[in-house]
Amino acid sequence: MNDRPAREERTSFTEACYVSDGLASAWELFGLESHYAFFDFIFKEMWDCESTSGDGKYKVLKETENLTEWDGKPITSKVKSALIQIAIIEVACAFAIQSLKTKKNSKLAWSYACEANLWLGLLKGTMTGYAQAPDDSSKFAKAGAAARHAENHQMKAEIIKWWSENRNNYKSMDAAAEQAAGKIAPVAFRTARKWIGDHNKKQRAGTA
């Protein structure tokens, strides 16, 4: 984790960045790919989603705490613990993103940054001792991360499938994204447009 600025030099922006970096370090400790993978996939995905909010992710956390089954079987304490930790990461990340997207040093930006820092602290508390014995829980954390983003990947696949079947009906990708957003899948226009655009680029490059 990067060094934190001196107290008198801190801003809502530096605090949100501090939290984000701390979350990336936690992600790496789980064995969930690299520190940079967190920003490339998790952070960016949440940043691009216009509906990302800490309050929304908190609701997901509460639902996770009440889970009784996992993959069709009674959930074990280790699996639930890993899922909760992944959910806490997302709560903290969402509040950090909201802070970064809000006017720097405004009361609201500071409020989001403080919430993000609070959740980072809670995450650290749940991970006490994890660095000494990560192997036993790492597979559950990986499974939890995959589950957290499975729905998102499914929505992306639905939009790409729809776009492939209906692209000739639209004059532009913007028009198609406007139709897809909220109708084909519950995502914002910006997200749908990005998915369609990325898929189009891959097709032109012959990698789709």
Side-chain angles (χ1 to χ4, degrees), residues 107-132:
K107 289 183 178 179
L108 186 56
W110 269 112
S111 176
Y112 287 141
C114 289
E115 286 277 4
N117 210 348
L118 170 65
W119 285 101
L120 175 61
L122 290 173
L123 176 66
K124 289 179 178 179
T126 66
M127 295 181 69
T128 300
Y130 190 88
Q132 285 70 45

mmCIF file of all heavy atoms in Angstrom, residues 107-132:
data_model
loop_
_atom_site.group_PDB
_atom_site.id
_atom_site.type_symbol
_atom_site.label_atom_id
_atom_site.label_comp_id
_atom_site.label_asym_id
_atom_site.label_seq_id
_atom_site.Cartn_x
_atom_site.Cartn_y
_atom_site.Cartn_z
ATOM 1 N N LYS A 107 -18.279 18.615 1.125
ATOM 2 C CA LYS A 107 -18.744 17.836 2.271
ATOM 3 C C LYS A 107 -19.159 16.432 1.840
ATOM 4 O O LYS A 107 -18.897 15.448 2.547
ATOM 5 C CB LYS A 107 -19.916 18.552 2.953
ATOM 6 C CG LYS A 107 -19.533 19.815 3.695
ATOM 7 C CD LYS A 107 -20.741 20.423 4.397
ATOM 8 C CE LYS A 107 -20.349 21.676 5.182
ATOM 9 N NZ LYS A 107 -21.512 22.297 5.861
ATOM 10 N N LEU A 108 -19.797 16.336 0.684
ATOM 11 C CA LEU A 108 -20.253 15.035 0.210
ATOM 12 C C LEU A 108 -19.071 14.133 -0.165
ATOM 13 O O LEU A 108 -19.059 12.941 0.153
ATOM 14 C CB LEU A 108 -21.174 15.209 -0.998
ATOM 15 C CG LEU A 108 -21.859 13.937 -1.520
ATOM 16 C CD1 LEU A 108 -22.661 13.266 -0.411
ATOM 17 C CD2 LEU A 108 -22.752 14.276 -2.711
ATOM 18 N N ALA A 109 -18.058 14.731 -0.819
ATOM 19 C CA ALA A 109 -16.873 13.954 -1.192
ATOM 20 C C ALA A 109 -16.175 13.419 0.051
ATOM 21 O O ALA A 109 -15.739 12.254 0.092
ATOM 22 C CB ALA A 109 -15.914 14.814 -2.015
ATOM 23 N N TRP A 110 -16.062 14.258 1.081
ATOM 24 C CA TRP A 110 -15.443 13.819 2.336
ATOM 25 C C TRP A 110 -16.296 12.753 3.023
ATOM 26 O O TRP A 110 -15.771 11.802 3.612
ATOM 27 C CB TRP A 110 -15.234 15.007 3.269
ATOM 28 C CG TRP A 110 -13.889 15.657 3.107
ATOM 29 C CD1 TRP A 110 -13.624 16.889 2.610
ATOM 30 C CD2 TRP A 110 -12.623 15.076 3.455
ATOM 31 N NE1 TRP A 110 -12.269 17.132 2.621
ATOM 32 C CE2 TRP A 110 -11.622 16.038 3.132
ATOM 33 C CE3 TRP A 110 -12.219 13.867 3.995
ATOM 34 C CZ2 TRP A 110 -10.267 15.814 3.342
ATOM 35 C CZ3 TRP A 110 -10.872 13.633 4.200
ATOM 36 C CH2 TRP A 110 -9.908 14.596 3.876
ATOM 37 N N SER A 111 -17.611 12.898 2.939
ATOM 38 C CA SER A 111 -18.497 11.918 3.555
ATOM 39 C C SER A 111 -18.305 10.548 2.920
ATOM 40 O O SER A 111 -18.179 9.524 3.619
ATOM 41 C CB SER A 111 -19.959 12.362 3.389
ATOM 42 O OG SER A 111 -20.847 11.388 3.907
ATOM 43 N N TYR A 112 -18.247 10.515 1.596
ATOM 44 C CA TYR A 112 -18.023 9.247 0.896
ATOM 45 C C TYR A 112 -16.649 8.670 1.231
ATOM 46 O O TYR A 112 -16.497 7.460 1.438
ATOM 47 C CB TYR A 112 -18.128 9.452 -0.614
ATOM 48 C CG TYR A 112 -19.533 9.663 -1.131
ATOM 49 C CD1 TYR A 112 -19.783 10.590 -2.151
ATOM 50 C CD2 TYR A 112 -20.602 8.920 -0.643
ATOM 51 C CE1 TYR A 112 -21.066 10.780 -2.644
ATOM 52 C CE2 TYR A 112 -21.897 9.105 -1.131
ATOM 53 C CZ TYR A 112 -22.118 10.036 -2.145
ATOM 54 O OH TYR A 112 -23.386 10.226 -2.635
ATOM 55 N N ALA A 113 -15.633 9.543 1.271
ATOM 56 C CA ALA A 113 -14.275 9.086 1.572
ATOM 57 C C ALA A 113 -14.188 8.494 2.972
ATOM 58 O O ALA A 113 -13.517 7.472 3.190
ATOM 59 C CB ALA A 113 -13.290 10.239 1.418
ATOM 60 N N CYS A 114 -14.864 9.127 3.923
ATOM 61 C CA CYS A 114 -14.865 8.615 5.302
ATOM 62 C C CYS A 114 -15.572 7.266 5.380
ATOM 63 O O CYS A 114 -15.121 6.357 6.096
ATOM 64 C CB CYS A 114 -15.534 9.631 6.229
ATOM 65 S SG CYS A 114 -14.554 11.121 6.519
ATOM 66 N N GLU A 115 -16.683 7.123 4.655
ATOM 67 C CA GLU A 115 -17.396 5.840 4.628
ATOM 68 C C GLU A 115 -16.493 4.755 4.044
ATOM 69 O O GLU A 115 -16.421 3.639 4.559
ATOM 70 C CB GLU A 115 -18.666 5.971 3.785
ATOM 71 C CG GLU A 115 -19.790 6.746 4.441
ATOM 72 C CD GLU A 115 -20.607 5.880 5.388
ATOM 73 O OE1 GLU A 115 -20.255 4.703 5.592
ATOM 74 O OE2 GLU A 115 -21.597 6.394 5.927
ATOM 75 N N ALA A 116 -15.802 5.104 2.962
ATOM 76 C CA ALA A 116 -14.904 4.140 2.322
ATOM 77 C C ALA A 116 -13.802 3.704 3.278
ATOM 78 O O ALA A 116 -13.469 2.516 3.381
ATOM 79 C CB ALA A 116 -14.300 4.759 1.059
ATOM 80 N N ASN A 117 -13.243 4.670 4.004
ATOM 81 C CA ASN A 117 -12.174 4.369 4.952
ATOM 82 C C ASN A 117 -12.679 3.499 6.097
ATOM 83 O O ASN A 117 -11.979 2.593 6.577
ATOM 84 C CB ASN A 117 -11.596 5.674 5.503
ATOM 85 C CG ASN A 117 -10.129 5.552 5.859
ATOM 86 O OD1 ASN A 117 -9.589 4.459 5.911
ATOM 87 N ND2 ASN A 117 -9.488 6.671 6.129
ATOM 88 N N LEU A 118 -13.895 3.765 6.542
ATOM 89 C CA LEU A 118 -14.507 2.950 7.591
ATOM 90 C C LEU A 118 -14.610 1.495 7.150
ATOM 91 O O LEU A 118 -14.234 0.573 7.891
ATOM 92 C CB LEU A 118 -15.897 3.498 7.930
ATOM 93 C CG LEU A 118 -16.771 2.613 8.833
ATOM 94 C CD1 LEU A 118 -16.153 2.477 10.216
ATOM 95 C CD2 LEU A 118 -18.187 3.183 8.938
ATOM 96 N N TRP A 119 -15.083 1.282 5.934
ATOM 97 C CA TRP A 119 -15.255 -0.081 5.443
ATOM 98 C C TRP A 119 -13.922 -0.765 5.183
ATOM 99 O O TRP A 119 -13.789 -1.986 5.360
ATOM 100 C CB TRP A 119 -16.137 -0.092 4.193
ATOM 101 C CG TRP A 119 -17.570 0.125 4.538
ATOM 102 C CD1 TRP A 119 -18.291 1.282 4.419
ATOM 103 C CD2 TRP A 119 -18.463 -0.841 5.105
ATOM 104 N NE1 TRP A 119 -19.577 1.102 4.878
ATOM 105 C CE2 TRP A 119 -19.712 -0.191 5.293
ATOM 106 C CE3 TRP A 119 -18.338 -2.176 5.456
ATOM 107 C CZ2 TRP A 119 -20.820 -0.848 5.828
ATOM 108 C CZ3 TRP A 119 -19.438 -2.831 5.993
ATOM 109 C CH2 TRP A 119 -20.652 -2.169 6.169
ATOM 110 N N LEU A 120 -12.914 0.009 4.781
ATOM 111 C CA LEU A 120 -11.575 -0.568 4.641
ATOM 112 C C LEU A 120 -11.077 -1.061 5.994
ATOM 113 O O LEU A 120 -10.494 -2.143 6.099
ATOM 114 C CB LEU A 120 -10.606 0.468 4.067
ATOM 115 C CG LEU A 120 -9.138 0.021 3.976
ATOM 116 C CD1 LEU A 120 -8.986 -1.192 3.054
ATOM 117 C CD2 LEU A 120 -8.263 1.171 3.483
ATOM 118 N N GLY A 121 -11.317 -0.273 7.037
ATOM 119 C CA GLY A 121 -10.922 -0.681 8.381
ATOM 120 C C GLY A 121 -11.640 -1.945 8.819
ATOM 121 O O GLY A 121 -11.024 -2.843 9.417
ATOM 122 N N LEU A 122 -12.926 -2.039 8.513
ATOM 123 C CA LEU A 122 -13.687 -3.242 8.858
ATOM 124 C C LEU A 122 -13.142 -4.453 8.106
ATOM 125 O O LEU A 122 -13.056 -5.558 8.654
ATOM 126 C CB LEU A 122 -15.172 -3.033 8.530
ATOM 127 C CG LEU A 122 -15.918 -2.041 9.413
ATOM 128 C CD1 LEU A 122 -17.329 -1.808 8.872
ATOM 129 C CD2 LEU A 122 -15.997 -2.567 10.844
ATOM 130 N N LEU A 123 -12.776 -4.233 6.845
ATOM 131 C CA LEU A 123 -12.205 -5.322 6.052
ATOM 132 C C LEU A 123 -10.914 -5.829 6.677
ATOM 133 O O LEU A 123 -10.699 -7.038 6.811
ATOM 134 C CB LEU A 123 -11.936 -4.845 4.627
ATOM 135 C CG LEU A 123 -11.245 -5.856 3.706
ATOM 136 C CD1 LEU A 123 -12.154 -7.052 3.439
ATOM 137 C CD2 LEU A 123 -10.833 -5.200 2.395
ATOM 138 N N LYS A 124 -10.065 -4.898 7.083
ATOM 139 C CA LYS A 124 -8.796 -5.281 7.710
ATOM 140 C C LYS A 124 -9.050 -6.090 8.979
ATOM 141 O O LYS A 124 -8.323 -7.043 9.281
ATOM 142 C CB LYS A 124 -7.976 -4.038 8.032
ATOM 143 C CG LYS A 124 -7.410 -3.332 6.810
ATOM 144 C CD LYS A 124 -6.628 -2.080 7.213
ATOM 145 C CE LYS A 124 -6.016 -1.388 6.022
ATOM 146 N NZ LYS A 124 -5.287 -0.156 6.400
ATOM 147 N N GLY A 125 -10.090 -5.723 9.709
ATOM 148 C CA GLY A 125 -10.433 -6.453 10.922
ATOM 149 C C GLY A 125 -10.842 -7.886 10.632
ATOM 150 O O GLY A 125 -10.455 -8.814 11.344
ATOM 151 N N THR A 126 -11.604 -8.084 9.544
ATOM 152 C CA THR A 126 -12.054 -9.438 9.203
ATOM 153 C C THR A 126 -10.912 -10.281 8.650
ATOM 154 O O THR A 126 -10.992 -11.506 8.652
ATOM 155 C CB THR A 126 -13.182 -9.417 8.155
ATOM 156 O OG1 THR A 126 -12.675 -8.920 6.901
ATOM 157 C CG2 THR A 126 -14.338 -8.547 8.618
ATOM 158 N N MET A 127 -9.855 -9.607 8.190
ATOM 159 C CA MET A 127 -8.743 -10.336 7.577
ATOM 160 C C MET A 127 -7.557 -10.510 8.520
ATOM 161 O O MET A 127 -6.485 -10.940 8.093
ATOM 162 C CB MET A 127 -8.275 -9.615 6.304
ATOM 163 C CG MET A 127 -9.332 -9.589 5.210
ATOM 164 S SD MET A 127 -8.752 -8.764 3.703
ATOM 165 C CE MET A 127 -7.527 -9.947 3.143
ATOM 166 N N THR A 128 -7.716 -10.189 9.785
ATOM 167 C CA THR A 128 -6.636 -10.344 10.753
ATOM 168 C C THR A 128 -6.144 -11.801 10.776
ATOM 169 O O THR A 128 -6.925 -12.725 10.922
ATOM 170 C CB THR A 128 -7.108 -9.966 12.171
ATOM 171 O OG1 THR A 128 -7.533 -8.606 12.164
ATOM 172 C CG2 THR A 128 -5.982 -10.150 13.172
ATOM 173 N N GLY A 129 -4.849 -11.955 10.567
ATOM 174 C CA GLY A 129 -4.269 -13.293 10.555
ATOM 175 C C GLY A 129 -4.351 -13.992 9.222
ATOM 176 O O GLY A 129 -3.800 -15.078 9.048
ATOM 177 N N TYR A 130 -5.025 -13.345 8.253
ATOM 178 C CA TYR A 130 -5.192 -14.003 6.957
ATOM 179 C C TYR A 130 -3.870 -14.201 6.236
ATOM 180 O O TYR A 130 -3.663 -15.207 5.568
ATOM 181 C CB TYR A 130 -6.131 -13.169 6.083
ATOM 182 C CG TYR A 130 -6.575 -13.869 4.821
ATOM 183 C CD1 TYR A 130 -7.703 -14.691 4.834
ATOM 184 C CD2 TYR A 130 -5.866 -13.735 3.638
ATOM 185 C CE1 TYR A 130 -8.107 -15.355 3.682
ATOM 186 C CE2 TYR A 130 -6.265 -14.397 2.486
ATOM 187 C CZ TYR A 130 -7.390 -15.193 2.520
ATOM 188 O OH TYR A 130 -7.786 -15.860 1.385
ATOM 189 N N ALA A 131 -2.965 -13.228 6.394
ATOM 190 C CA ALA A 131 -1.681 -13.318 5.685
ATOM 191 C C ALA A 131 -0.872 -14.528 6.137
ATOM 192 O O ALA A 131 -0.064 -15.067 5.387
ATOM 193 C CB ALA A 131 -0.867 -12.045 5.910
ATOM 194 N N GLN A 132 -1.098 -14.977 7.371
ATOM 195 C CA GLN A 132 -0.328 -16.107 7.877
ATOM 196 C C GLN A 132 -0.872 -17.448 7.376
ATOM 197 O O GLN A 132 -0.165 -18.439 7.366
ATOM 198 C CB GLN A 132 -0.337 -16.111 9.411
ATOM 199 C CG GLN A 132 0.567 -15.056 10.049
ATOM 200 C CD GLN A 132 0.051 -13.666 9.845
ATOM 201 O OE1 GLN A 132 -1.132 -13.416 10.009
ATOM 202 N NE2 GLN A 132 0.941 -12.733 9.499
#
